[in-house]
Amino acid sequence: MEKIQHKTIPVNGLNMHVAELGEGPLILFLHGFPELWYSWRHQMVFMAEHGYRAVAPDLRGYGDTTGAPLDDPSKFTLIHLAGDMISLLDAIAVTEDKVFVVGHDWGALVAWHLCMYRPDRVKALVNLSVPFIPRDPQMSLVDILWKSYGDDHYVCRFQEPGVIEAEFEDLGAKEVMKNFLALRDPGPLYLPKGNIFGHSAEKAPWLTEEELDYYTGKFERTGFTGGVNYYRALGLDWELNAPWAGAQVNVPAKYVVGEFDLAYYMPGTQDFIHKGGFKKLVPLLEDVVVIEGAAHFVNQEKPDEINQHILAFLKQF
């Protein structure tokens, strides 16, 4: 881990912190919420050892990446996030027309859209947790979740600026991170006011105290607004993505999800994944893997298994 290099690169109006290890074909790793480049620590070391150049940025609003206007959620759309990645590739992959991309959670959502917007820049894709989510022609994802689950669903609770951040601050970054990273309930995630997580979770068994402290230190410094703004931009995402309604993702892809991942239990998701809808919109989808016993943070919980899935897929290209 100590061999990982860190640099700051001017990207799309940001100063983007990037972690990098290895030489060879570039793999761009995109983290989710509430995570950092650090969530890919196991994959970076493994893929570098197998002849790849592993690059993992702190995404807009996270960690040591600075310059994003945290008081303006409209600057956190998928258009912005995909644009950040194109600008980053222009800076670090000048000799590669196409690169590999691996995403998890929000990073997967960014990766799907990056491939939909700019398939000319992606050689192949491995996404964890979140499948491609087609645009509903009638209402945004936030409205769908509000209708399905009500005000206490976490996506709905994240919508009003400042509110959830104040509750997270009262609880403390370490407690917030410990509870999120320990999630194993595949049902809807509710964060009721005044009793956000219901109880203090035990630290996830796959997470060391040192690793938890790394996350805690970063989020104590930055707060959670950057990551929460991704959810606040979902309504604008729905508006801006109208030109891509019904569009396909035409990049070779593999999808991996934990058996107990809450994303796998969103309304209609399993039917979409396993009964043809997913393959229709991602026609080059080559494999769908459900990791037995794993939950949402599958790349950290089952790193060896995930490493092998990524390597086996990417080495075909």
Side-chain angles (χ1 to χ4, degrees):
M1 206 70 68
E2 64 277 0
K3 295 180 181 178
I4 293 176
Q5 297 181 339
H6 297 268
K7 58 186 71 173
T8 300
I9 300 174
V11 166
N12 203 24
L14 308 174
N15 294 309
M16 180 162 281
H17 168 246
V18 174
E20 182 175 332
L21 183 65
E23 296 180 358
L26 192 151
I27 306 174
L28 181 64
F29 288 96
L30 306 181
H31 68 78
F33 174 89
E35 297 178 279
L36 302 161
W37 75 268
Y38 190 69
S39 66
W40 296 112
R41 58 199 178 278
H42 305 298
Q43 286 71 44
M44 291 183 71
V45 172
F46 179 84
M47 296 307 295
E49 289 173 348
H50 286 80
Y52 293 87
R53 179 188 176 199
V55 174
D58 283 336
L59 297 183
R60 174 180 290 245
Y62 280 94
D64 294 322
T65 290
T66 61
L70 298 181
D71 59 349
D72 187 356
S74 72
K75 297 297 190 291
F76 288 80
T77 69
L78 287 162
I79 296 282
H80 289 90
L81 298 166
D84 293 345
M85 294 306 101
I86 292 297
S87 182
L88 178 61
L89 292 178
D90 286 345
I92 66 172
V94 292
T95 63
E96 296 180 75
D97 293 333
K98 295 186 176 186
V99 303
F100 296 116
V101 178
V102 179
H104 171 253
D105 184 72
W106 260 102
L109 199 59
V110 174
W112 288 122
H113 285 78
L114 174 64
C115 292
M116 184 172 71
Y117 303 145
R118 293 297 303 274
D120 59 305
R121 300 302 295 271
V122 181
K123 193 180 304 182
L125 169 68
V126 179
N127 263 341
L128 314 180
S129 181
V130 176
F132 182 69
I133 301 173
R135 181 182 183 273
D136 187 292
Q138 302 301 322
M139 64 179 72
S140 74
L141 181 60
V142 175
D143 290 334
I144 292 170
L145 293 171
W146 236 315
K147 185 176 180 181
S148 299
Y149 298 124
D151 293 345
D152 283 346
H153 188 268
Y154 77 103
V155 173
C156 305
R157 288 278 281 120
F158 284 0
Q159 294 305 305
E160 188 175 348
V163 173
I164 199 69
E165 292 97 322
E167 295 182 49
F168 284 167
E169 186 174 0
D170 288 344
L171 198 59
K174 187 166 188 175
E175 195 69 17
V176 171
M177 290 306 304
K178 187 172 67 170
N179 277 274
F180 272 124
L181 293 171
L183 282 173
R184 292 196 64 80
D185 185 352
L189 175 59
Y190 296 106
L191 299 178
K193 291 182 180 179
N195 191 23
I196 303 179
F197 293 105
H199 65 284
S200 177
E202 295 294 324
K203 178 174 63 66
W206 48 263
L207 187 71
T208 69
E209 197 69 30
E210 181 182 1
E211 290 169 333
L212 178 59
D213 286 344
Y214 183 90
Y215 284 116
T216 299
K218 295 298 182 183
F219 282 102
E220 281 178 342
R221 183 175 59 79
T222 66
F224 291 88
T225 297
V228 172
N229 276 344
Y230 289 40
Y231 297 89
R232 292 175 180 147
L234 280 169
L236 185 54
D237 283 324
W238 180 76
E239 296 178 22
L240 296 176
N241 275 311
W244 289 275
Q248 294 179 327
V249 174
N250 285 298
V251 168
K254 180 173 186 171
Y255 171 71
V256 183
V257 65
E259 178 186 10
F260 302 114
D261 191 328
L262 74 169
Y264 190 48
Y265 291 83
M266 298 286 269
T269 295
Q270 292 186 32
D271 282 349
F272 173 73
I273 290 171
H274 298 294
K275 294 185 178 180
F278 197 6
K279 179 71 173 177
K280 183 177 180 181
L281 287 172
V282 187
L284 301 180
L285 180 68
E286 296 189 14
D287 200 8
V288 171
V289 178
V290 180
I291 303 293
E292 185 176 346
H296 182 65
F297 298 95
V298 62
N299 51 316
Q300 299 181 77
E301 182 181 359
K302 303 273 190 177
D304 294 342
E305 199 167 343
I306 294 302
N307 291 345
Q308 292 297 335
H309 278 296
I310 294 171
L311 180 63
F313 185 64
L314 298 190
K315 70 181 183 181
Q316 301 175 62
F317 301 93

